[in-house]
Every structure is written in C-alpha cells, then in structure tokens.
Amino acid sequence: MIRLKTEKGTIAVDSDVYTNIAGYAATNCFGVKGMAFRSMTDGLVHLLRKEAKGVRVTFHDGNAISIDLHIIIDKGVNICAIGNSIISEVRYFVTKSTGTEVRAINVFVDSITT
C-alpha cells in the first residue's frame, strides 16, 4: 500500500486500485484477448474476463511500484508491438490516475488464441 501525505491528511492507495487500472489498460490494447491465470490444480492457462486477475503489483521504497501482467493475445499479431503498447498504456494510466511512479512493467504472454 502506498501512503501519500498531504496538508489535509493521508491518502492510502491499495494494491487493488493498481491491479484494476493496469488490467483495464492492458485489456483495452489491440490484440489482447484477456488476462491469463495459470491454475494450480491442472497447470493450464485460463482466459479471464476480469481485468484484475493476472496482474501482480510490487511496492518499492519511495512510493514506486512494479507491475507484472500475464496476458493472452490474438494469433497473428506482433508480440513485440503489443508488449510495447501495453507498457506505454499501463504506465500512462497508472501514473495519470494515481500519481505513482511506475518503475517497471513486465508483460508475460502466456498463450496465443485463434
């Protein structure tokens, strides 16, 4: 959790806020089918419609975060282009919405669908 102190009090931003914003921004990028979740019971990757799943936020000193995104993409799209687009969109939306510095965004393509 990140705490921002102002002259009127303290604002606490929970990790759920970051996961929702990052998941929403990632799933709105062209070529992204959805977020991915690897099941512990069967080891298979599942497509999730809920944006917050498949996102992990790590907090750092100095009110900064790192974000890991596990995604499923459409077949035939450029993986490098999608990755760069996601990184740019997620960094922009998280910084714009919360004012938090995003140190790193790691995109993991877990599956490609037709």
mmCIF file of all heavy atoms in Angstrom, residues 37-63:
data_model
loop_
_atom_site.group_PDB
_atom_site.id
_atom_site.type_symbol
_atom_site.label_atom_id
_atom_site.label_comp_id
_atom_site.label_asym_id
_atom_site.label_seq_id
_atom_site.Cartn_x
_atom_site.Cartn_y
_atom_site.Cartn_z
ATOM 1 N N PHE A 37 -4.464 -16.610 -16.296
ATOM 2 C CA PHE A 37 -4.284 -17.133 -14.948
ATOM 3 C C PHE A 37 -3.931 -18.601 -15.054
ATOM 4 O O PHE A 37 -4.644 -19.375 -15.693
ATOM 5 C CB PHE A 37 -5.568 -16.961 -14.128
ATOM 6 C CG PHE A 37 -5.481 -17.569 -12.756
ATOM 7 C CD1 PHE A 37 -4.736 -16.971 -11.768
ATOM 8 C CD2 PHE A 37 -6.145 -18.742 -12.469
ATOM 9 C CE1 PHE A 37 -4.655 -17.529 -10.503
ATOM 10 C CE2 PHE A 37 -6.062 -19.311 -11.209
ATOM 11 C CZ PHE A 37 -5.318 -18.708 -10.233
ATOM 12 N N ARG A 38 -2.805 -18.998 -14.470
ATOM 13 C CA ARG A 38 -2.385 -20.395 -14.501
ATOM 14 C C ARG A 38 -2.953 -21.110 -13.284
ATOM 15 O O ARG A 38 -2.675 -20.763 -12.148
ATOM 16 C CB ARG A 38 -0.871 -20.511 -14.515
ATOM 17 C CG ARG A 38 -0.391 -21.939 -14.699
ATOM 18 C CD ARG A 38 1.105 -22.015 -14.892
ATOM 19 N NE ARG A 38 1.582 -21.266 -16.020
ATOM 20 C CZ ARG A 38 1.598 -21.691 -17.289
ATOM 21 N NH1 ARG A 38 1.138 -22.880 -17.559
ATOM 22 N NH2 ARG A 38 2.069 -20.934 -18.247
ATOM 23 N N SER A 39 -3.762 -22.120 -13.547
ATOM 24 C CA SER A 39 -4.403 -22.882 -12.486
ATOM 25 C C SER A 39 -3.380 -23.752 -11.769
ATOM 26 O O SER A 39 -2.572 -24.426 -12.402
ATOM 27 C CB SER A 39 -5.509 -23.761 -13.071
ATOM 28 O OG SER A 39 -6.019 -24.617 -12.084
ATOM 29 N N MET A 40 -3.454 -23.763 -10.455
ATOM 30 C CA MET A 40 -2.543 -24.591 -9.667
ATOM 31 C C MET A 40 -2.969 -26.055 -9.688
ATOM 32 O O MET A 40 -2.152 -26.936 -9.505
ATOM 33 C CB MET A 40 -2.501 -24.088 -8.219
ATOM 34 C CG MET A 40 -1.971 -22.670 -8.099
ATOM 35 S SD MET A 40 -0.367 -22.466 -8.861
ATOM 36 C CE MET A 40 0.659 -22.718 -7.468
ATOM 37 N N THR A 41 -4.243 -26.319 -9.947
ATOM 38 C CA THR A 41 -4.723 -27.699 -9.916
ATOM 39 C C THR A 41 -4.381 -28.458 -11.188
ATOM 40 O O THR A 41 -3.916 -29.581 -11.127
ATOM 41 C CB THR A 41 -6.248 -27.748 -9.692
ATOM 42 O OG1 THR A 41 -6.895 -26.977 -10.700
ATOM 43 C CG2 THR A 41 -6.601 -27.203 -8.326
ATOM 44 N N ASP A 42 -4.601 -27.832 -12.354
ATOM 45 C CA ASP A 42 -4.337 -28.555 -13.600
ATOM 46 C C ASP A 42 -3.160 -28.007 -14.392
ATOM 47 O O ASP A 42 -2.754 -28.593 -15.387
ATOM 48 C CB ASP A 42 -5.589 -28.611 -14.482
ATOM 49 C CG ASP A 42 -6.141 -27.240 -14.827
ATOM 50 O OD1 ASP A 42 -5.443 -26.236 -14.587
ATOM 51 O OD2 ASP A 42 -7.276 -27.180 -15.326
ATOM 52 N N GLY A 43 -2.594 -26.860 -13.990
ATOM 53 C CA GLY A 43 -1.436 -26.291 -14.656
ATOM 54 C C GLY A 43 -1.740 -25.616 -15.979
ATOM 55 O O GLY A 43 -0.838 -25.186 -16.679
ATOM 56 N N LEU A 44 -3.014 -25.499 -16.336
ATOM 57 C CA LEU A 44 -3.399 -24.898 -17.599
ATOM 58 C C LEU A 44 -3.594 -23.387 -17.446
ATOM 59 O O LEU A 44 -3.901 -22.896 -16.372
ATOM 60 C CB LEU A 44 -4.695 -25.525 -18.125
ATOM 61 C CG LEU A 44 -4.636 -27.027 -18.409
ATOM 62 C CD1 LEU A 44 -6.012 -27.537 -18.799
ATOM 63 C CD2 LEU A 44 -3.624 -27.325 -19.498
ATOM 64 N N VAL A 45 -3.412 -22.677 -18.575
ATOM 65 C CA VAL A 45 -3.626 -21.236 -18.584
ATOM 66 C C VAL A 45 -5.070 -20.973 -18.968
ATOM 67 O O VAL A 45 -5.561 -21.495 -19.956
ATOM 68 C CB VAL A 45 -2.666 -20.548 -19.581
ATOM 69 C CG1 VAL A 45 -2.991 -19.068 -19.683
ATOM 70 C CG2 VAL A 45 -1.228 -20.757 -19.163
ATOM 71 N N HIS A 46 -5.752 -20.152 -18.164
ATOM 72 C CA HIS A 46 -7.156 -19.851 -18.403
ATOM 73 C C HIS A 46 -7.325 -18.382 -18.772
ATOM 74 O O HIS A 46 -6.666 -17.514 -18.209
ATOM 75 C CB HIS A 46 -7.992 -20.157 -17.158
ATOM 76 C CG HIS A 46 -7.940 -21.599 -16.758
ATOM 77 N ND1 HIS A 46 -8.713 -22.555 -17.351
ATOM 78 C CD2 HIS A 46 -7.179 -22.243 -15.842
ATOM 79 C CE1 HIS A 46 -8.447 -23.735 -16.812
ATOM 80 N NE2 HIS A 46 -7.513 -23.568 -15.887
ATOM 81 N N LEU A 47 -8.222 -18.117 -19.719
ATOM 82 C CA LEU A 47 -8.561 -16.760 -20.120
ATOM 83 C C LEU A 47 -9.536 -16.177 -19.112
ATOM 84 O O LEU A 47 -10.547 -16.791 -18.793
ATOM 85 C CB LEU A 47 -9.206 -16.773 -21.514
ATOM 86 C CG LEU A 47 -9.749 -15.447 -22.032
ATOM 87 C CD1 LEU A 47 -8.620 -14.448 -22.242
ATOM 88 C CD2 LEU A 47 -10.499 -15.669 -23.331
ATOM 89 N N LEU A 48 -9.215 -14.980 -18.616
ATOM 90 C CA LEU A 48 -10.064 -14.324 -17.636
ATOM 91 C C LEU A 48 -10.662 -13.055 -18.215
ATOM 92 O O LEU A 48 -9.983 -12.302 -18.893
ATOM 93 C CB LEU A 48 -9.257 -13.959 -16.382
ATOM 94 C CG LEU A 48 -8.598 -15.125 -15.669
ATOM 95 C CD1 LEU A 48 -7.679 -14.598 -14.587
ATOM 96 C CD2 LEU A 48 -9.648 -16.029 -15.066
ATOM 97 N N ARG A 49 -11.908 -12.842 -17.960
ATOM 98 C CA ARG A 49 -12.565 -11.612 -18.401
ATOM 99 C C ARG A 49 -12.407 -10.507 -17.359
ATOM 100 O O ARG A 49 -12.535 -9.350 -17.674
ATOM 101 C CB ARG A 49 -14.045 -11.863 -18.671
ATOM 102 C CG ARG A 49 -14.273 -12.881 -19.746
ATOM 103 C CD ARG A 49 -13.845 -12.359 -21.080
ATOM 104 N NE ARG A 49 -14.040 -13.390 -22.092
ATOM 105 C CZ ARG A 49 -13.411 -13.421 -23.220
ATOM 106 N NH1 ARG A 49 -12.519 -12.497 -23.507
ATOM 107 N NH2 ARG A 49 -13.628 -14.370 -24.092
ATOM 108 N N LYS A 50 -12.151 -10.884 -16.125
ATOM 109 C CA LYS A 50 -11.956 -9.887 -15.073
ATOM 110 C C LYS A 50 -10.532 -9.362 -15.160
ATOM 111 O O LYS A 50 -9.577 -10.126 -15.101
ATOM 112 C CB LYS A 50 -12.218 -10.509 -13.704
ATOM 113 C CG LYS A 50 -12.177 -9.523 -12.578
ATOM 114 C CD LYS A 50 -12.785 -10.127 -11.332
ATOM 115 C CE LYS A 50 -12.643 -9.233 -10.142
ATOM 116 N NZ LYS A 50 -13.296 -7.972 -10.223
ATOM 117 N N GLU A 51 -10.393 -8.060 -15.322
ATOM 118 C CA GLU A 51 -9.092 -7.457 -15.593
ATOM 119 C C GLU A 51 -8.101 -7.550 -14.437
ATOM 120 O O GLU A 51 -6.904 -7.597 -14.657
ATOM 121 C CB GLU A 51 -9.259 -5.976 -15.973
ATOM 122 C CG GLU A 51 -9.866 -5.748 -17.321
ATOM 123 C CD GLU A 51 -11.391 -5.742 -17.308
ATOM 124 O OE1 GLU A 51 -11.987 -5.738 -16.211
ATOM 125 O OE2 GLU A 51 -11.981 -5.765 -18.384
ATOM 126 N N ALA A 52 -8.569 -7.576 -13.198
ATOM 127 C CA ALA A 52 -7.667 -7.528 -12.056
ATOM 128 C C ALA A 52 -6.876 -8.820 -11.869
ATOM 129 O O ALA A 52 -5.792 -8.811 -11.304
ATOM 130 C CB ALA A 52 -8.432 -7.206 -10.781
ATOM 131 N N LYS A 53 -7.409 -9.940 -12.345
ATOM 132 C CA LYS A 53 -6.668 -11.194 -12.234
ATOM 133 C C LYS A 53 -5.552 -11.184 -13.282
ATOM 134 O O LYS A 53 -5.682 -10.606 -14.338
ATOM 135 C CB LYS A 53 -7.591 -12.384 -12.500
ATOM 136 C CG LYS A 53 -8.709 -12.505 -11.517
ATOM 137 C CD LYS A 53 -8.268 -13.242 -10.306
ATOM 138 C CE LYS A 53 -9.458 -13.492 -9.412
ATOM 139 N NZ LYS A 53 -9.125 -14.270 -8.281
ATOM 140 N N GLY A 54 -4.466 -11.837 -12.990
ATOM 141 C CA GLY A 54 -3.346 -11.864 -13.925
ATOM 142 C C GLY A 54 -2.435 -10.656 -13.789
ATOM 143 O O GLY A 54 -1.538 -10.452 -14.594
ATOM 144 N N VAL A 55 -2.661 -9.841 -12.760
ATOM 145 C CA VAL A 55 -1.842 -8.650 -12.510
ATOM 146 C C VAL A 55 -1.246 -8.767 -11.113
ATOM 147 O O VAL A 55 -1.943 -9.091 -10.156
ATOM 148 C CB VAL A 55 -2.677 -7.350 -12.588
ATOM 149 C CG1 VAL A 55 -1.810 -6.134 -12.325
ATOM 150 C CG2 VAL A 55 -3.385 -7.240 -13.918
ATOM 151 N N ARG A 56 0.068 -8.523 -11.015
ATOM 152 C CA ARG A 56 0.726 -8.523 -9.704
ATOM 153 C C ARG A 56 1.466 -7.206 -9.525
ATOM 154 O O ARG A 56 2.196 -6.777 -10.422
ATOM 155 C CB ARG A 56 1.700 -9.685 -9.586
ATOM 156 C CG ARG A 56 2.130 -9.907 -8.131
ATOM 157 C CD ARG A 56 3.045 -11.097 -7.969
ATOM 158 N NE ARG A 56 4.337 -10.539 -7.580
ATOM 159 C CZ ARG A 56 5.479 -10.801 -8.168
ATOM 160 N NH1 ARG A 56 5.539 -11.627 -9.170
ATOM 161 N NH2 ARG A 56 6.581 -10.248 -7.758
ATOM 162 N N VAL A 57 1.277 -6.559 -8.399
ATOM 163 C CA VAL A 57 1.912 -5.278 -8.100
ATOM 164 C C VAL A 57 2.929 -5.479 -6.984
ATOM 165 O O VAL A 57 2.637 -6.109 -5.969
ATOM 166 C CB VAL A 57 0.865 -4.228 -7.675
ATOM 167 C CG1 VAL A 57 1.534 -2.924 -7.283
ATOM 168 C CG2 VAL A 57 -0.141 -3.997 -8.787
ATOM 169 N N THR A 58 4.130 -4.938 -7.183
ATOM 170 C CA THR A 58 5.185 -4.978 -6.177
ATOM 171 C C THR A 58 5.493 -3.547 -5.760
ATOM 172 O O THR A 58 5.717 -2.689 -6.617
ATOM 173 C CB THR A 58 6.459 -5.641 -6.742
ATOM 174 O OG1 THR A 58 6.123 -6.925 -7.255
ATOM 175 C CG2 THR A 58 7.528 -5.771 -5.671
ATOM 176 N N PHE A 59 5.504 -3.292 -4.467
ATOM 177 C CA PHE A 59 5.769 -1.956 -3.948
ATOM 178 C C PHE A 59 7.253 -1.793 -3.655
ATOM 179 O O PHE A 59 7.908 -2.713 -3.167
ATOM 180 C CB PHE A 59 4.952 -1.709 -2.673
ATOM 181 C CG PHE A 59 3.476 -1.688 -2.933
ATOM 182 C CD1 PHE A 59 2.708 -2.823 -2.738
ATOM 183 C CD2 PHE A 59 2.869 -0.537 -3.391
ATOM 184 C CE1 PHE A 59 1.348 -2.805 -2.980
ATOM 185 C CE2 PHE A 59 1.512 -0.516 -3.641
ATOM 186 C CZ PHE A 59 0.743 -1.644 -3.443
ATOM 187 N N HIS A 60 7.781 -0.595 -3.941
ATOM 188 C CA HIS A 60 9.186 -0.259 -3.701
ATOM 189 C C HIS A 60 9.264 0.965 -2.789
ATOM 190 O O HIS A 60 8.281 1.679 -2.604
ATOM 191 C CB HIS A 60 9.897 0.059 -5.021
ATOM 192 C CG HIS A 60 9.859 -1.052 -6.009
ATOM 193 N ND1 HIS A 60 10.607 -2.195 -5.872
ATOM 194 C CD2 HIS A 60 9.145 -1.197 -7.157
ATOM 195 C CE1 HIS A 60 10.365 -3.002 -6.907
ATOM 196 N NE2 HIS A 60 9.481 -2.419 -7.692
ATOM 197 N N ASP A 61 10.456 1.211 -2.266
ATOM 198 C CA ASP A 61 10.677 2.413 -1.460
ATOM 199 C C ASP A 61 10.487 3.649 -2.333
ATOM 200 O O ASP A 61 10.714 3.610 -3.546
ATOM 201 C CB ASP A 61 12.088 2.417 -0.871
ATOM 202 C CG ASP A 61 12.296 1.298 0.138
ATOM 203 O OD1 ASP A 61 11.292 0.839 0.727
ATOM 204 O OD2 ASP A 61 13.456 0.889 0.328
ATOM 205 N N GLY A 62 10.073 4.729 -1.719
ATOM 206 C CA GLY A 62 9.903 5.971 -2.451
ATOM 207 C C GLY A 62 8.592 6.052 -3.211
ATOM 208 O O GLY A 62 8.500 6.742 -4.218
ATOM 209 N N ASN A 63 7.585 5.327 -2.757
ATOM 210 C CA ASN A 63 6.257 5.341 -3.383
ATOM 211 C C ASN A 63 6.297 4.995 -4.865
ATOM 212 O O ASN A 63 5.676 5.659 -5.696
ATOM 213 C CB ASN A 63 5.566 6.688 -3.167
ATOM 214 C CG ASN A 63 5.143 6.888 -1.738
ATOM 215 O OD1 ASN A 63 4.993 5.931 -0.993
ATOM 216 N ND2 ASN A 63 4.957 8.123 -1.334
#
